[in-house]
Amino acid sequence: MPSSQTGADEIDADADPDTAARQARTRLRSRQLLAAAARVMERDGTESVSMQALADEAGVSVGLIYRYFGGKDEILLAVIVDVLDAFAVRVPDAIATADPDPVARFAAAFGAYCAVIAEHRHAALLSYRESKNLAEQGRRRIQQLEVATSEPLRDLLREGIEAGLFHQVDVDLVAYDALLMAHGWALKHWYFERTLRFEDYVARQTSLLLLALLLPRHRRKYARFLEHTQP
Amino acid sequence: MPSSQTGADEIDADADPDTAARQARTRLRSRQLLAAAARVMERDGTESVSMQALADEAGVSVGLIYRYFGGKDEILLAVIVDVLDAFAVRVPDAIATADPDPVARFAAAFGAYCAVIAEHRHAALLSYRESKNLAEQGRRRIQQLEVATSEPLRDLLREGIEAGLFHQVDVDLVAYDALLMAHGWALKHWYFERTLRFEDYVARQTSLLLLALLLPRHRRKYARFLEHTQP
Amino acid sequence: MPSSQTGADEIDADADPDTAARQARTRLRSRQLLAAAARVMERDGTESVSMQALADEAGVSVGLIYRYFGGKDEILLAVIVDVLDAFAVRVPDAIATADPDPVARFAAAFGAYCAVIAEHRHAALLSYRESKNLAEQGRRRIQQLEVATSEPLRDLLREGIEAGLFHQVDVDLVAYDALLMAHGWALKHWYFERTLRFEDYVARQTSLLLLALLLPRHRRKYARFLEHTQP
Amino acid sequence: MPSSQTGADEIDADADPDTAARQARTRLRSRQLLAAAARVMERDGTESVSMQALADEAGVSVGLIYRYFGGKDEILLAVIVDVLDAFAVRVPDAIATADPDPVARFAAAFGAYCAVIAEHRHAALLSYRESKNLAEQGRRRIQQLEVATSEPLRDLLREGIEAGLFHQVDVDLVAYDALLMAHGWALKHWYFERTLRFEDYVARQTSLLLLALLLPRHRRKYARFLEHTQP
DNA sequence: TATGAATGAGCCTTCATTCAT
DNA sequence: AATGAATGAAGGCTCATTCAT
């Protein structure tokens, strides 16, 4: 479910080999630029992503960027989408790899969300900042992806509820809370990095989530997830 | 515990009526400008708070703003502090007014946090974005206020734990999560406003929090807080 | 030959006692403001004379300044005129007080120019900077005063030439050079203050001037003025 | 001894023709902008050199200026340095070209100073006004250049003294006076331009300087320099 | 395709000047 | 007469965007 890139490569299925080559190059450039954007953000923060800084980091000229993106907004949109794509890849992956148990899969999914955010700490916060600036179209796109992206979590919650493991919670809200807790690492990173390692953060948040979700009678069984509750 | 304003009116204790009148006007203007800032944010997003936009919204000239604030940073700081001050006033108030029961007080406190955020939806998000840009001094100020502001929540958590009502959770983390969930209303307002009324949002989040916190044996007693779990 | 103030008190001879009182107050305020301007300049440099700084230094409100001066330019003009007035008072005074000998009087006059400049170091340089900004009228006024102000020097030069003491130099040019050398103390004050005391500066410049002026056969007689030639 | 430019073209020794072309263009633009700055000063005075005025005069946009200069200070510094560079080129040149006689070389040097100032009338006065505003580094740079720039004059003075031609004067002070007299043409241009042609100004000032410097017994020999004494 | 010089609107800030009180 | 709050036109600077090469 990857590759939701942002319009730079929307030219569909064209057998012309020349066009194919162009598409390949386009895709390459796009990735190169998005990677550069991510690097700049991670290094200097979200505010310092000027077109010049981006060009420098990518090793291309400013002008070239406009061949692959319609403008700055489009790039930021693409960066946001990139993170959402990462969710779309990594979370299902983590679920598939994990223990088949619903709780374990839920924990794995949440961990994957957290991991992606930790890897794109600044990019992950971009959507909070840019929503207003983005064109209506881009905003809707993001919102759709966000919903789609959190679908696995909702699925697992429903599954857990149906299996009689979880309380009958508001699945939408809990899924959102889980994402919020994952974003929490990025939002207050300056605070947590001094008090908690990333692994501990994830473990404790997982504990709290499951504490809220699990019916009491299953707690013993999942004690391994719950034991990180205390500081 | 209010009055952490931002320097525009620090001239203290002066019986001179002239000075008193000036102070009053100063305070009035400051409030007017902060209110205008909040309105601009609410209308156009936190990015569009240019001095010109602020002046237009407040119905004054650009130059005048600089009589009341040292610069843009100071205004943003003041807006942030304003919200934190609201927490400092409203949360203790809600706690004092509530049922003496620790759980009820916790719920009241959380509700007050949410209410303040709902009233300052955009301003409440400002600190996430501006911390980096603020001068060291301002940043420390905010951080201190944030800590002070969330202290009541931590106190109640500790109290609940000591009373044998709550699990022995990481108090700092849970308090942060609660704030995050309160901010959640502002962060994803576009989503929730279509599915949930504010009161429902608060009720359900309260339920979830208490579901995680309460020892199973106390759940029945506090069923009134927990019954909003389901959609 | 004093009092060439700048228009704030041009109301002429009016017997009305009320008007007389007003004139007195006007004159007082003008002096107060000019003195404040001089103080600000001497303390913070010529660039920092904002109307606010001036008002603060004078202990009045900004608005009041406009009752006595038409605007900033007029104040600066008045400050310049003030220095020129000081020349008009102090130089004739020094000449009158000095030894009747033409050379001694020339030396005394030059010393007086230097002294006035040392006392109004910043104000003295103002005219170099403001000429372009001043209204045509003000500029002409200054130029006339400058010429008038240097008249004593020219008189003494002519006298010395006629007395067979000085070479038959271009009186205008030498007078100008002498003024330039006096201003030199202000222009490169940052340099000289580390290498020369004011008195030495004056003594040496006097020596150089007389070295150029005096016919060789009179040098022995005026050796006391010439002995400061060497470093 | 030229080339003390101000950083816009410090990239040295690169055989890459592309870079070479860029350097050429950079140098061109820099010169164009400095020339425009000089023209604006000449037309409207040194105060009116706003970035907008400069851009208009140079026929470029404001933004472009910042590609070649770090800011306004840097431009003013460059203008000042430009004049000092002109001294550094023209004065040694004049000395080398002149009659080997020390007095003739001194006269030639002084004439060259005057000529440079006449050509950069307003720019030459800039340093008096801007020294304070410049960053420490720039100020030191100017001071060093000023010292270096006036060194030839001091050398010639020392040489004349050692050769028994000049009185044993304070070399530093006389060199400063000479520069002051050269600047005099710019400082009081409004006055002299009506009474004296530039050549006469120089000739007479040279006469005066030598009148002060030359031992009486050498005067006859250098009569050709002294005969311009009278008006 | 790729460059980067060039543009210009917009931002924050200062300050001389005015005017209601 | 006196105040100082209020104005608004500059000023310096940045940066997304365009376009000739």
Side-chain angles (χ1 to χ4, degrees):
Chain A
M1 199 182 297
S3 97
S4 311
Q5 278 86 5
T6 300
D9 50 347
E10 299 290 8
I11 312 120
D12 282 303
D14 192 318
D16 184 345
D18 184 38
T19 303
R22 176 150 63 251
Q23 274 188 27
R25 190 165 41 208
T26 292
R27 192 167 315 238
L28 197 71
R29 282 284 194 217
S30 296
R31 295 238 62 79
Q32 171 191 2
L33 287 167
L34 291 182
R39 254 175 290 136
V40 173
M41 282 182 192
E42 243 52 45
R43 174 159 33 77
D44 306 325
T46 328
E47 317 264 301
S48 358
V49 190
S50 68
M51 297 303 273
Q52 190 57 62
L54 178 50
D56 291 349
E57 180 70 33
V60 301
S61 64
V62 225
L64 190 62
I65 301 179
Y66 285 83
R67 284 209 156 271
Y68 299 95
F69 292 95
K72 194 178 184 183
D73 285 359
E74 206 169 277
I75 294 176
L76 294 181
L77 177 60
V79 169
I80 294 172
V81 168
D82 226 33
V83 177
L84 292 170
D85 277 350
F87 286 132
V89 171
R90 301 271 296 273
V91 172
D93 222 62
I95 293 173
T97 309
D99 194 305
D101 179 275
V103 173
R105 272 149 64 217
F106 179 82
F110 176 70
Y113 277 114
C114 289
V116 170
I117 281 167
E119 287 160 23
H120 306 274
R121 196 148 48 82
H122 289 93
L125 300 183
L126 210 51
S127 60
Y128 293 130
R129 198 151 72 56
E130 293 297 323
S131 310
K132 269 276 166 44
N133 299 14
L134 263 32
E136 179 56 24
Q137 197 192 1
R139 218 172 336 173
R140 264 208 309 276
R141 175 106 178 277
I142 289 182
Q143 294 176 3
Q144 283 167 10
L145 281 174
E146 282 185 345
V147 172
T149 266
S150 57
E151 195 55 39
L153 221 44
R154 279 195 295 275
D155 286 343
L156 290 172
L157 286 169
R158 276 185 223 105
E159 194 181 328
I161 292 169
E162 276 166 27
L165 291 166
F166 293 162
H167 289 113
Q168 301 213 355
V169 294
D170 178 336
V171 166
D172 280 338
L173 190 58
V174 174
Y176 173 57
D177 284 345
L179 285 184
L180 212 46
M181 289 160 91
H183 279 103
W185 177 254
L187 285 167
K188 275 252 187 304
H189 186 258
W190 57 264
Y191 176 70
F192 287 120
E193 86 179 327
R194 293 181 316 189
T195 58
L196 240 51
R197 283 176 312 139
F198 173 66
E199 293 77 18
D200 296 328
Y201 181 84
V202 177
R204 290 187 195 185
Q205 295 287 38
T206 307
S207 296
L208 286 169
L209 275 168
L210 290 178
L211 217 42
L213 288 170
L214 279 173
L215 296 184
R217 67 171 172 280
H218 299 295
R219 285 197 178 154
R220 184 158 316 163
K221 183 177 167 197
Y222 295 108
R224 69 179 188 283
F225 292 116
L226 301 176
E227 62 200 7
H228 307 285
T229 306
Q230 295 167 255
Chain B
M1 202 181 297
S3 99
S4 312
Q5 279 85 6
T6 298
D9 50 347
E10 299 289 6
I11 312 124
D12 280 305
D14 193 318
D16 185 345
D18 183 41
T19 303
R22 175 149 61 258
Q23 273 187 30
R25 196 164 37 216
T26 292
R27 196 168 312 240
L28 200 71
R29 278 283 193 222
S30 295
R31 298 235 65 79
Q32 172 192 359
L33 288 167
L34 292 183
R39 253 177 290 136
V40 173
M41 285 179 190
E42 236 61 41
R43 176 159 34 75
D44 306 324
T46 45
E47 306 272 285
S48 333
V49 191
S50 70
M51 297 305 273
Q52 192 55 248
L54 177 50
D56 291 349
E57 178 69 34
V60 301
S61 65
V62 195
L64 187 64
I65 303 178
Y66 287 83
R67 282 190 80 76
Y68 300 94
F69 293 95
K72 194 180 183 185
D73 284 1
E74 206 170 276
I75 293 177
L76 295 181
L77 179 58
V79 169
I80 293 172
V81 168
D82 229 33
V83 177
L84 293 170
D85 276 349
F87 285 133
V89 172
R90 301 270 295 274
V91 171
D93 223 61
I95 293 174
T97 309
D99 195 304
D101 179 274
V103 173
R105 272 150 62 219
F106 180 82
F110 177 70
Y113 278 113
C114 290
V116 169
I117 282 168
E119 289 159 21
H120 305 273
R121 198 145 49 81
H122 286 91
L125 301 183
L126 205 53
S127 62
Y128 291 130
R129 203 159 59 63
E130 292 298 325
S131 303
K132 272 256 176 58
N133 302 8
L134 263 31
E136 177 57 23
Q137 199 192 1
R139 220 173 328 163
R140 263 208 309 275
R141 176 107 177 274
I142 290 182
Q143 292 177 7
Q144 283 169 9
L145 283 174
E146 281 185 345
V147 170
T149 266
S150 57
E151 194 57 38
L153 221 46
R154 281 195 294 277
D155 285 343
L156 290 171
L157 287 169
R158 278 186 220 103
E159 195 181 326
I161 292 170
E162 274 166 29
L165 291 165
F166 293 163
H167 289 112
Q168 302 213 355
V169 294
D170 178 336
V171 166
D172 282 335
L173 189 59
V174 173
Y176 175 57
D177 284 342
L179 286 182
L180 215 44
M181 288 160 90
H183 279 103
W185 179 254
L187 286 167
K188 280 270 186 295
H189 188 257
W190 59 265
Y191 178 69
F192 288 119
E193 81 180 331
R194 294 180 314 190
T195 58
L196 240 51
R197 283 177 311 138
F198 173 66
E199 293 76 18
D200 296 330
Y201 181 85
V202 177
R204 291 188 194 183
Q205 295 286 38
T206 308
S207 296
L208 287 169
L209 274 168
L210 290 178
L211 217 42
L213 288 170
L214 280 172
L215 296 185
R217 69 170 169 278
H218 299 295
R219 286 196 178 154
R220 183 159 317 164
K221 182 177 167 198
Y222 295 108
R224 70 180 187 282
F225 293 116
L226 300 177
E227 63 199 10
H228 308 285
T229 307
Q230 294 167 258
Chain C
M1 200 183 297
S3 99
S4 312
Q5 277 85 6
T6 298
D9 51 345
E10 299 290 8
I11 311 120
D12 282 302
D14 193 317
D16 184 345
D18 184 40
T19 303
R22 175 149 65 251
Q23 274 188 28
R25 191 166 41 208
T26 292
R27 193 167 313 238
L28 197 72
R29 280 284 193 218
S30 295
R31 295 237 63 79
Q32 172 191 0
L33 287 166
L34 290 182
R39 254 176 290 137
V40 173
M41 282 182 190
E42 242 53 44
R43 173 159 35 76
D44 306 325
T46 328
E47 319 264 300
S48 356
V49 191
S50 68
M51 296 303 273
Q52 190 57 63
L54 178 49
D56 290 348
E57 179 71 33
V60 301
S61 65
V62 228
L64 189 63
I65 302 180
Y66 285 83
R67 284 208 157 270
Y68 298 95
F69 292 95
K72 194 177 183 183
D73 285 359
E74 206 169 277
I75 294 177
L76 294 181
L77 177 59
V79 169
I80 293 172
V81 168
D82 226 32
V83 177
L84 292 170
D85 277 350
F87 287 132
V89 171
R90 300 270 297 273
V91 172
D93 222 61
I95 293 174
T97 308
D99 195 305
D101 179 275
V103 173
R105 273 149 64 218
F106 179 82
F110 177 70
Y113 278 112
C114 290
V116 170
I117 280 166
E119 288 160 22
H120 305 274
R121 196 146 51 79
H122 288 94
L125 300 183
L126 210 50
S127 60
Y128 293 130
R129 201 152 69 56
E130 292 298 322
S131 310
K132 269 274 166 48
N133 299 14
L134 263 32
E136 179 56 24
Q137 197 194 0
R139 218 172 333 170
R140 263 209 308 276
R141 175 106 179 276
I142 289 182
Q143 294 176 3
Q144 283 168 10
L145 281 175
E146 282 185 345
V147 171
T149 266
S150 56
E151 193 57 38
L153 221 44
R154 278 196 296 276
D155 286 342
L156 289 173
L157 286 168
R158 276 186 222 105
E159 192 180 330
I161 292 170
E162 274 165 29
L165 290 165
F166 292 164
H167 289 111
Q168 303 213 354
V169 293
D170 178 336
V171 166
D172 280 339
L173 190 59
V174 173
Y176 173 57
D177 284 344
L179 284 184
L180 213 45
M181 289 159 90
H183 278 103
W185 177 254
L187 285 167
K188 275 256 189 301
H189 186 259
W190 58 264
Y191 176 69
F192 286 121
E193 86 179 327
R194 291 181 316 186
T195 58
L196 239 52
R197 284 176 312 141
F198 173 67
E199 293 77 18
D200 297 330
Y201 181 85
V202 177
R204 290 188 195 183
Q205 294 287 37
T206 307
S207 296
L208 286 169
L209 274 168
L210 290 178
L211 216 43
L213 287 170
L214 280 172
L215 295 185
R217 68 170 170 280
H218 299 296
R219 286 197 176 154
R220 184 159 317 165
K221 184 177 166 197
Y222 295 108
R224 70 179 188 282
F225 292 117
L226 301 177
E227 64 199 7
H228 306 289
T229 306
Q230 294 166 255
Chain D
M1 200 182 296
S3 99
S4 311
Q5 281 83 6
T6 299
D9 50 347
E10 299 289 6
I11 312 124
D12 280 305
D14 193 317
D16 185 345
D18 183 40
T19 303
R22 175 150 62 256
Q23 273 186 30
R25 195 164 36 215
T26 293
R27 196 167 313 240
L28 199 71
R29 278 283 193 221
S30 296
R31 298 235 65 80
Q32 172 192 358
L33 287 168
L34 292 183
R39 252 176 292 137
V40 173
M41 285 179 191
E42 236 61 41
R43 176 160 34 77
D44 306 324
T46 44
E47 307 271 287
S48 334
V49 191
S50 70
M51 297 305 272
Q52 192 55 249
L54 177 49
D56 291 348
E57 178 69 34
V60 301
S61 65
V62 193
L64 187 64
I65 303 178
Y66 287 84
R67 282 190 81 76
Y68 298 95
F69 293 95
K72 194 180 184 186
D73 284 1
E74 207 170 274
I75 293 176
L76 295 181
L77 178 58
V79 170
I80 293 172
V81 168
D82 229 33
V83 177
L84 292 170
D85 275 350
F87 286 133
V89 172
R90 301 270 295 275
V91 171
D93 223 61
I95 293 173
T97 308
D99 195 305
D101 179 275
V103 173
R105 271 149 64 217
F106 180 82
F110 178 70
Y113 277 113
C114 290
V116 170
I117 282 167
E119 289 160 21
H120 305 274
R121 198 144 50 79
H122 287 91
L125 302 183
L126 206 53
S127 61
Y128 291 129
R129 203 158 60 63
E130 292 297 325
S131 305
K132 272 256 175 61
N133 302 10
L134 264 31
E136 178 57 24
Q137 200 193 0
R139 220 173 328 165
R140 264 209 308 276
R141 175 107 177 273
I142 290 182
Q143 293 177 7
Q144 283 170 9
L145 282 175
E146 282 185 344
V147 170
T149 265
S150 57
E151 194 56 38
L153 220 46
R154 280 196 294 276
D155 285 343
L156 290 172
L157 286 169
R158 277 186 221 104
E159 194 180 328
I161 292 170
E162 274 166 29
L165 291 165
F166 292 164
H167 289 111
Q168 302 213 355
V169 294
D170 178 336
V171 165
D172 281 335
L173 190 59
V174 173
Y176 174 57
D177 284 343
L179 284 183
L180 214 44
M181 289 160 89
H183 279 104
W185 178 254
L187 285 167
K188 280 269 187 293
H189 187 258
W190 58 265
Y191 178 68
F192 289 119
E193 80 179 332
R194 293 182 314 189
T195 58
L196 242 50
R197 284 176 311 138
F198 173 66
E199 293 76 18
D200 297 330
Y201 180 85
V202 177
R204 291 187 194 185
Q205 294 287 38
T206 308
S207 296
L208 286 169
L209 273 169
L210 290 178
L211 217 43
L213 288 170
L214 280 173
L215 296 184
R217 67 170 172 279
H218 298 296
R219 287 199 176 151
R220 182 159 317 164
K221 184 177 164 196
Y222 295 110
R224 71 180 187 282
F225 292 117
L226 301 177
E227 63 200 9
H228 306 288
T229 306
Q230 294 167 258

